[in-house]
Amino acid sequence: MPDTAPPPAPHDHRFPCDQCGANLRYDPGARQLVCAHCGHAEPIAGAGPDARHLHELDYRAALAAALPPAEMEEVRRLKCPNCGAEVELDDQTHAASCPFCATPVVTDTGRQRRIKPQAVLPFALSEREAHKAMTDWLGRLWFAPSGLTEFARRGRPMQGIYVPFWTYDARTRSRYSGVRGTIHYETRMVTRNGQRQAERVQTIRWSPVSGRLARDFDDVLVLGSTSLPRRHTDGLQPWDLAQLEPYRPDYLAGFGAEGYTVGLDQGFATARAIMDGQIRRDVMRDIGGDQQRIDRLETEVSDVTFKHILLPVWLAAYRYRGKSYRFVVNGRTGRVQGERPWSVWKIALAVLLGLILAGAVGYLVALDQGAVGMVDWH
């Protein structure tokens, strides 16, 4: 029978300073809570390598709504009508702008029952470090508008957001049949232009093969959100998942947290596609030879477990000359992704300079050829 006990009461992720009462904020550099008002600092109790005992949750139990009540939480989130992002809010916030697309919105005060995060990868880069990484990245783009780069450099601070991901573990057992191709060369006599000559000809000998393979997958990572393009978040990899900490709301102090909008089963469908791709590569290697063809491949998947984790992203959303630009920075490594901006004027100038250069080279070549012709005439 599914456990129908109510989830724990929602937690308030506000941490008042013991010295002055202002809100504490997680400091990525110091890995502690710091008060921006008076400078008081408090360590995060129970954090560090000795506390990294992460547990997986049973996938089938979650689909059957049979997870223990302690693994569920009730949250209040803002849903952006433009990009669909859902961002967790405290009870004191009633209006905000979406950090993913800068759309002004009014919050929905409704609550939702969700799977609680099991782990969090805390921010390691400060806003200043992430902002510098972004503007340096923009500065390296040859055809980016100079105005946008300067606008971003002087613009509002970036926002730190914990983005939801799923990780999946699974055991797989596969059976396959196919054919292995081995390249051979034969010498044949051919006639060309009335002459007989030897020629090496490539042939492929095919032989049937079959086999069994087993692979255990660990932490197949799937984005749990649709608010950011997957190509952007994929481009932020790799993530140092070995440094995941058991979820503590302390790490969220002063930061936003996006709720997952990709369901657990949807995420597993993506994970399964990733697994299937790896299994096919395994089978191709197992077949061996010079060429391979898979005719039949059947895979049994068992012992599926998962984690709901939060990964740190610094986010900037700018509107520049009527266009929206979004940039994301890996909050651990400083790797940057975003919409690549293009300057029409810079491109036109580059094309014009290219044409001038090509014309100049053509003119010099023509002069050189004319001079050679005159020498030959004499």
Side-chain angles (χ1 to χ4, degrees):
M1 291 289 293
D3 194 333
T4 57
H11 296 288
D12 189 354
H13 296 160
R14 296 164 63 89
F15 297 86
C17 175
D18 290 340
Q19 302 295 323
C20 68
N23 289 327
L24 297 174
R25 178 185 176 91
Y26 175 68
D27 183 353
R31 292 181 64 84
Q32 59 185 357
L33 298 179
V34 177
C35 177
H37 182 70
C38 71
H40 174 67
E42 295 182 8
I44 297 178
D50 295 337
R52 292 184 190 134
H53 300 294
L54 304 180
H55 65 282
E56 304 279 337
L57 298 181
D58 184 85
Y59 176 70
R60 301 297 176 188
L63 292 185
L67 289 177
E71 302 298 344
M72 307 298 293
E73 66 177 353
E74 190 174 295
V75 295
R76 173 175 170 258
R77 291 193 169 111
L78 152 80
K79 183 167 185 177
C80 176
N82 182 42
C83 70
E86 293 190 8
V87 181
E88 185 175 328
L89 299 169
D90 58 51
D91 289 334
Q92 286 71 34
T93 304
H94 298 285
S97 62
C98 176
F100 292 92
C101 66
T103 300
V105 291
V106 175
T107 65
D108 179 4
T109 57
R111 295 187 178 277
Q112 299 178 0
R113 190 171 186 262
R114 295 295 184 94
I115 298 173
K116 183 188 298 183
Q118 280 76 53
V120 57
L121 191 59
F123 277 89
L125 297 182
S126 67
E127 190 279 335
R128 178 176 295 182
E129 292 169 323
H131 197 273
K132 183 178 185 304
M134 179 190 66
T135 54
D136 288 349
W137 180 78
L138 279 171
R140 291 192 296 269
L141 301 180
W142 286 8
F143 296 113
S146 300
L148 175 61
T149 304
E150 185 60 28
F151 181 76
R153 185 173 290 114
R154 295 183 290 103
R156 62 183 180 181
M158 304 183 77
Q159 296 192 52
I161 299 288
Y162 282 102
V163 178
F165 282 79
W166 302 107
T167 70
Y168 298 90
D169 294 0
R171 301 183 66 188
T172 65
R173 303 293 181 265
S174 302
R175 296 180 298 173
Y176 72 87
S177 61
V179 290
R180 176 193 300 121
T182 305
I183 295 176
H184 293 270
Y185 291 92
E186 300 177 352
T187 301
R188 298 177 182 176
M189 299 302 295
V190 297
T191 302
R192 283 198 174 89
N193 299 325
Q195 294 184 350
R196 298 278 293 172
Q197 59 185 34
E199 182 180 80
R200 282 173 57 82
V201 179
Q202 176 182 300
T203 62
I204 300 177
R205 295 177 184 174
W206 296 97
S207 56
V209 293
S210 61
R212 296 173 179 266
L213 289 174
R215 174 180 276 271
D216 292 345
F217 289 89
D218 179 52
D219 283 347
V220 177
L221 189 65
V222 176
L223 177 65
S225 166
T226 56
S227 56
L228 290 173
R230 185 176 169 184
R231 67 182 184 277
H232 289 177
T233 54
D234 286 350
L236 294 181
Q237 296 189 45
W239 295 94
D240 49 342
L241 298 184
Q243 302 301 313
L244 281 168
E245 300 275 0
Y247 173 76
R248 298 180 61 88
D250 310 55
Y251 293 117
L252 275 61
F255 293 90
E258 186 187 8
Y260 60 83
T261 53
V262 173
L264 182 64
D265 52 345
Q266 292 175 279
F268 184 68
T270 301
R272 180 64 193 270
I274 296 172
M275 296 178 192
D276 288 344
Q278 181 60 58
I279 291 170
R280 288 189 67 86
R281 290 190 290 272
D282 290 346
V283 169
M284 299 290 269
R285 282 194 296 268
D286 198 58
I287 290 176
D290 299 307
Q291 295 186 21
Q292 306 84 27
R293 188 178 73 231
I294 301 173
D295 295 329
R296 181 178 61 87
L297 176 57
E298 298 175 352
T299 298
E300 295 180 359
V301 181
S302 62
D303 300 335
V304 181
T305 58
F306 74 94
K307 292 191 299 292
H308 172 207
I309 67 174
L310 301 176
L311 300 184
V313 171
W314 285 104
L315 178 69
Y318 300 113
R319 289 194 63 83
Y320 178 74
R321 294 186 175 178
K323 292 184 179 181
S324 294
Y325 297 93
R326 289 183 299 181
F327 308 104
V328 290
V329 180
N330 183 317
R332 302 282 295 188
T333 66
R335 190 177 180 89
V336 183
Q337 294 291 309
E339 279 95 0
R340 184 184 179 93
W342 300 95
S343 169
V344 176
W345 293 108
K346 285 187 177 181
I347 295 173
L349 180 59
V351 171
L352 179 60
L353 291 175
L355 291 174
I356 293 174
L357 180 60
V361 171
Y363 177 72
L364 291 175
V365 170
L367 285 179
D368 184 66
Q369 290 177 343
V372 172
M374 292 178 62
V375 170
D376 291 344
W377 183 80
H378 286 293

